[in-house]
Each structure stands twice: as C-alpha cells, then as structure tokens.
Amino acid sequence: MLATKAVGRNASALKYDLLTVMGAFALAQEKGRQVLVLRLMTLITARYNWARDELAVGQREIARLWMVDERTVKREMAKLRAMGWLRVKRQGARGRVSEYSLAIERILEDSRDRWGDVGPDFEQRLSGSEPDEKIVPLPIKGKIPAPDLTDDSDWGLAKAILHEEDPALYAAWFAALERRERAGGRLVLGAPTRFHASYVAGHLGARLLRVCRGVDAGIDEVQVIA
C-alpha cells in the first residue's frame, strides 16, 4: 500500500498519485460529486501543507478560490467530512480558522476500483505488489556485455544494478534503453520500438522505478518512450 503521509523520499510521488486517484474517482461520479472532489483537489493544490498534514484556510478565502459564497463552502466542507476525506484537527473559534487533516487512507480505499483504469503499473505501485505474470526474457543472440561501470549517471548506475539482479532480464529489456533526458523528478528513457517501450512500462515499470529511486531519491517517475 502507498504511504499515507507525504514526507521523505517518496513525497513527490505520493502527491501526484493521490491527486491522480482523486481525479479518476471523480470522473466516475455524478456531476455534483465531480465538482465536490474538484474543489477539494484545487484546495489541496493551493493550500494544503503536506509535511504537517494540515489544511487551515478560512471560509471567505475558500469561497474566493471556489467562486462560490460562504454558505456553499460550509455545505461542501461538511460533505467532505461526511465522506471521511477530511478530518477536523482543531475546531475554529473567534479569530481562528478550523484546521483539517486529509484522510489519505480513506481516499485511497474509496478510489481503489479506479487504480487499474489508470494503468497496471500504477495499480501495482499503490498496492505494493509485483506483477503476477511471469516475465520471460526474449532470446538474445550473442552475449550482452555488462554495463559500463564508469558511467556514474543515474541511468548508468541503475543499469548496473538491473544487470546484477537479473542478467537475462537486463539483456532482453533494459540493455537497449537509452537515457533521453531528465526533467526534475522525471527520467525519460528511449526504447528501440513502441512494443519494447510499452512492454517495459507495463510489465517492468515497478522494478525500473524501484531501482532508479534506489540510485537517486529525486526520481519519482520513469517514462519509457520509443
């Protein structure tokens, strides 16, 4: 199961994953529920303190962000508490706004049915499971040499670990991948064909991300393209 607090090395991934499942959940709901979840997502993006698990915003400010009146804010926040997605940490009083925490574990549980619709690699990451099917390496003609250990780039180090873990799997699927670019926490790798890229992303994505994160904690996404 995905961690339920956005701190530490996987904080960035948790934020994106949580917003993804909230959006996927909302799109499967009726219009009123869609708007409610969209409003919460906007509020989280704008004002939620991930490190402290704290949402402390006045009704007037929320109303301005949502383009509604304060009565609507009060009603919508009550609905979110009733759903179990928001919890009151400290009740507001004169001169002090209410403080809420985000019930991440409840959001994940409510959206579980949509994880697979995002993608099998996404579902595996959130459930903490490895792929069920046995991955059979393709037969490779000739001997695939071990990666160059003098390459100390993020992908160079990751390739060395992948080779050490399973030389046959490395030769079949990872050796041909080339580093294309790094944009923040996203590492982009190039595959020789669209099928190769699709197979690695769908069947080996969790392993690939785990190893890349192991050599560079700043990597929160590995994209494989043709």
Side-chain angles (χ1 to χ4, degrees), residues 14-74:
L14 172 58
K15 296 173 186 178
Y16 287 121
D17 288 347
L18 185 64
L19 291 172
T20 297
V21 298
M22 290 175 68
F25 171 85
L27 290 171
Q29 308 301 308
E30 47 82 23
K31 185 176 180 180
R33 183 61 62 88
Q34 287 181 351
V35 173
L36 177 63
V37 176
L38 174 60
R39 285 171 173 166
L40 177 59
M41 292 172 66
T42 305
L43 189 58
I44 290 171
T45 304
R47 298 304 304 272
Y48 179 63
N49 186 317
W50 293 93
R52 296 172 58 182
D53 183 22
E54 181 180 279
L55 182 63
V57 190
Q59 290 186 3
R60 182 176 301 176
E61 189 174 355
I62 297 174
R64 186 165 57 249
L65 177 64
W66 288 355
M67 297 295 292
V68 297
D69 56 37
E70 292 184 41
R71 291 180 58 188
T72 300
V73 170
K74 187 174 182 179

Side-chain angles (χ1 to χ4, degrees), residues 160-171:
I161 295 173
L162 290 165
H163 178 268
E164 177 65 25
E165 287 186 349
D166 192 328
L169 196 64
Y170 168 82

Side-chain angles (χ1 to χ4, degrees), residues 91-105:
Q91 190 66 48
R94 184 180 298 275
R96 187 182 68 194
V97 301
S98 295
E99 296 178 5
Y100 299 91
S101 65
L102 197 60
I104 294 177
E105 69 283 357

Side-chain angles (χ1 to χ4, degrees), residues 127-168:
S127 63
S129 63
E130 293 293 327
D132 293 332
E133 69 271 18
K134 181 177 178 60
I135 300 172
V136 180
L138 292 175
I140 304 296
K141 294 182 179 180
K143 184 178 180 181
I144 299 296
D148 182 6
L149 296 180
T150 63
D151 180 3
D152 60 356
S153 67
D154 44 21
W155 178 232
L157 295 173
K159 286 176 69 175
I161 295 173
L162 290 165
H163 178 268
E164 177 65 25
E165 287 186 349
D166 192 328

Side-chain angles (χ1 to χ4, degrees), residues 75-93:
R75 183 173 62 249
E76 296 286 79
M77 295 296 279
K79 289 179 182 178
L80 291 167
R81 294 199 305 273
M83 288 172 63
W85 285 24
L86 282 182
R87 300 188 182 117
V88 177
K89 293 180 67 175
R90 187 171 70 173
Q91 190 66 48

